[in-house]
Every structure is written in C-alpha cells, then in structure tokens.
Amino acid sequence: MSSPLSWARVEGPVATTDSPTREEFTAHEGRPVIITGSVNRSRALSRWTPTYLKSTIGSRRVDVYVSADGTFPGGSGPYDHNKHRHVEMTVSECIDRMNGLKLNPVITPGEKYYLYQSPAEHFQDILGDLHDPPYLPEGSGPDRGVTQNVWMSGAGNVTPIHYDLSENILVQILGEKRVLLWDPSQYSLLYLNPIGTQHDRQSRIDVNHPDPTSFPRFMNAKALEHIILRPGEMLYIPAFWMHYVYTIKFSVSVNYWWASPQLAHFSSGMQKILMSSQRLGDALLEIKRCVSETVGVSRPELVILLQNMFADGSIANLRAMLTSQVAAGGGGPGGPPRARHGS
C-alpha cells in the first residue's frame, strides 16, 4: 500500500493551537485546526488500552466493517460482497483481529477490520472517561444537534478521499492516524461521486494505485497535512473539506458531527430554495445568494464547491431526494442527507 506522501501534493501543515477558548475556536471556523491540550484531562487517554476495552465492553456485540484490501468506502451502496462486508462480532474479537490474531477470515486472508461510525449509545459505560470538546453547541439531548461516534481501526486501514456535510471534530484516544485535507474549491480535482450515486461524496481515485492518465486533474490537487494525529489531539474538519485518513497503528477515536449556526442557516435556506418550483438554474443563483448571506463571507470557497456540485448533478439529485422525502410523507428534512463515511 502506498504511503500518502508518494502520491499526494502537500502544500503545508494544518494549523495547531493549544486549548483555545470557544471564541478563539470559532475564529478558525471553516479552516482545519489541530487542538492540543483540551483532551489531556480525560481519563480515556490512560484507560482505553486494548486490555481495558476488552475487560469492560469486550463481550458487547458490534457491527464491524471488513475489507479485503484495507480500503473502506462509504456513502450509498451497493457494495461488492467479495471485497466489503459488515459482520457482527464481539468487541474483544474485533480488537484481536485488528491486532493480528490469526482467526478464520471473513472474506480472505490479510483482510482488515474497522469498527466504523459506531453510535455512542453502545459505549455509554466508558464514554464517561472522555470529556466532550468545549467547542460543541451548548445544551443537551437531541435538540443539541450533535452526533457522537466511536471508531476503532487496525494498522493500514484506509478511508478514501471524501467530504462530510457537517462540522466534524475527530478526537484521537489511542494509536495514530495520518490525515490529508483538501479545501472545497478543489472539488473538481478530486473526481468525487455526485450526491445520490454509488459511494456518493467519495473520490473515484484508487489511493493505493492513483492513475494520472485516468485522473489527470488530481495531480494538481494540493493537500494540507498533519503528519500524525496522536493521542490527546483533536482535529477540526470543516464541513465540505475533503479528507483522507490512514491508520498508522491500532487506533481508537471518537468524533462529533454538528452544524454551526451559519451552516444550519445555509442548509435550511438551500433546502427551501431546492423545494421551490423555480428552474434548477435559477435555484442555483438563489443558493449562491444564500451562501453570500450566511457562510460566504468566511468561506468563499463554498461558492466554487456549489458550482461544481451543480455541474456534476449533485444539486439536481439532492433536489430529487428532498422532493421524494416530502412525497413519502416525511415532511421537510431537518438537514441534508448524510451517508456513512469514515474518520
């Protein structure tokens, strides 16, 4: 498997800051940042060893994503059953398999395993060891609008280039990950699948064997890189920033998805425009205006992103999905659809 630096053009590191205040963090909104210090008071950093996890939650049965080649695509299916499967096993078995214990393979010898976007409610008895980042929306319960997930991955796991529709903080508890990031204005250079298609919001580029002949624009893409995300660090990944994640050694992470007030206002406005009866081209002009009035001042690259999403059919597909949801009796959705993708 290729090292990320053997194919990626890297223009510089992600900014790093130590324990910023909420106001200081907000100033970074729309730009990735590594935060150090804020997690160091959490007991999870010292407790969450493989032995501890097996002794506390080891008997719990969880859904584990299995990959024959170590890549873990997300988004809409279908998936090739000969390459990727979801199976149920205990947390203990999952940890053992990730750390090289030779058990009967699910697909093929040498396969990789990922506890992938596992809902926080499955781990409430240990999540008390971890303090939530102080930069999330205030409040509690569903109205807070925060989704928390647990991720556990073995060395060599690859999450292909993709983007999420929500703000994201990835907290590293155990092990190390390498992360590459591209800003939304580079959308057309990364050959992303349109929303509403197979593996939507994910790049068609095989990061293990990138082909410059088939994807020539990719050679012009410039990434930001934080060489290694280490225990006790958290990475803020803004909505719509493309990212690639490579697990260097057995890893346990927790992430938080949410919509900032600006992003929520923009998403709500975009949905209202898409649900109107105007032509799609006119709707795009209205959406651009909506961007300029909400997130556009701090994030002008989103205008370029929307133009590319209009060109590749994503906006038309999103409009069809929203219309279908309303026709099915679900009413207007509370936010844009978010398929599974990895961290």
Side-chain angles (χ1 to χ4, degrees):
M1 184 173 296
S2 300
S3 162
L5 293 182
S6 69
W7 52 260
R9 291 184 63 189
V10 177
E11 67 175 6
V14 176
T16 300
T17 185
D18 180 53
S19 302
T21 64
R22 179 182 290 271
E23 291 72 23
E24 290 169 338
F25 173 78
T26 301
H28 285 280
E29 191 170 295
R31 191 76 179 172
V33 62
I34 295 288
I35 300 171
T36 61
S38 295
V39 189
N40 290 340
R41 295 182 297 276
S42 294
R43 295 190 302 268
L45 284 180
S46 58
R47 283 189 174 182
W48 286 17
T49 64
T51 300
Y52 175 78
L53 295 173
K54 289 167 69 174
S55 68
T56 53
I57 58 172
S59 62
R60 188 154 305 154
R61 300 192 69 81
V62 290
D63 178 83
V64 176
Y65 192 178
V66 184
S67 170
D69 64 1
T71 61
F72 292 85
S76 305
Y79 288 74
D80 185 340
H81 198 62
N82 294 317
K83 295 180 179 179
H84 303 100
R85 297 183 197 174
H86 285 268
V87 298
E88 187 179 276
M89 64 180 71
T90 65
V91 172
S92 286
E93 180 183 346
C94 177
I95 291 173
D96 287 341
R97 286 179 179 269
M98 288 179 180
N99 285 287
L101 185 65
K102 300 300 182 183
L103 301 171
N104 290 334
V106 175
I107 304 175
T108 187
E111 65 196 16
K112 300 289 187 179
Y113 311 91
Y114 211 149
L115 183 65
Y116 188 96
Q117 196 175 321
S118 197
E121 53 262 28
H122 296 168
F123 302 94
Q124 288 302 315
D125 39 358
I126 63 169
L127 282 173
D129 294 336
L130 178 65
H131 299 298
D132 287 348
Y135 316 112
L136 302 174
E138 296 178 338
S140 60
D143 291 340
R144 187 184 184 200
V146 176
T147 301
Q148 183 184 25
N149 303 283
V150 175
W151 309 76
M152 193 181 299
S153 56
N157 285 12
V158 170
T159 301
I161 301 167
H162 68 283
Y163 69 93
D164 298 315
L165 301 170
S166 299
E167 307 281 52
N168 185 7
I169 285 182
L170 175 63
V171 180
Q172 191 66 14
I173 305 300
L174 180 67
E176 297 172 345
K177 288 181 172 178
R178 169 172 280 157
V179 183
L180 294 170
L181 302 113
W182 295 262
D183 75 75
S185 68
Q186 300 189 65
Y187 184 101
S188 66
L189 305 180
L190 297 175
Y191 299 89
L192 295 148
N193 294 316
I195 287 176
T197 65
Q198 184 181 20
H199 301 314
D200 53 351
R201 297 182 288 109
Q202 179 176 293
S203 175
R204 298 188 293 279
I205 298 165
D206 179 354
V207 292
N208 294 332
H209 308 285
D211 180 2
T213 301
S214 300
F215 305 105
R217 295 194 304 272
F218 179 57
M219 299 301 108
N220 296 320
K222 296 179 181 179
L224 295 178
E225 179 185 31
H226 177 68
I227 299 298
I228 298 174
L229 187 64
R230 297 182 175 87
E233 296 180 335
M234 62 176 76
L235 170 62
Y236 164 56
I237 306 175
F240 302 106
W241 271 71
M242 282 70 75
H243 49 288
Y244 161 100
V245 185
Y246 177 88
T247 301
I248 297 172
K249 59 176 67 174
F250 174 71
S251 168
V252 180
S253 313
V254 176
N255 93 299
Y256 303 80
W257 275 315
W258 80 100
S260 67
Q262 279 190 321
L263 186 63
H265 186 196
F266 161 66
S267 297
S268 175
M270 184 174 73
Q271 289 175 40
K272 290 177 181 177
I273 294 167
L274 288 176
M275 292 300 295
S276 70
S277 59
Q278 61 188 310
R279 293 187 309 109
L280 194 59
D282 294 334
L284 178 64
L285 294 176
E286 281 294 302
I287 291 171
K288 287 182 179 179
R289 182 186 59 78
C290 180
V291 170
S292 66
E293 293 177 354
T294 54
V295 296
V297 175
S298 59
R299 303 191 59 186
E301 71 276 7
L302 292 185
V303 175
I304 300 174
L305 171 84
L306 285 168
Q307 290 172 332
N308 284 297
M309 292 176 70
F310 181 79
D312 72 9
S314 288
I315 298 297
N317 292 346
L318 181 57
R319 184 182 213 178
M321 293 163 68
L322 293 171
T323 302
S324 176
Q325 287 184 22
V326 172
R338 181 177 63 213
R340 291 159 63 105
H341 274 296
S343 290

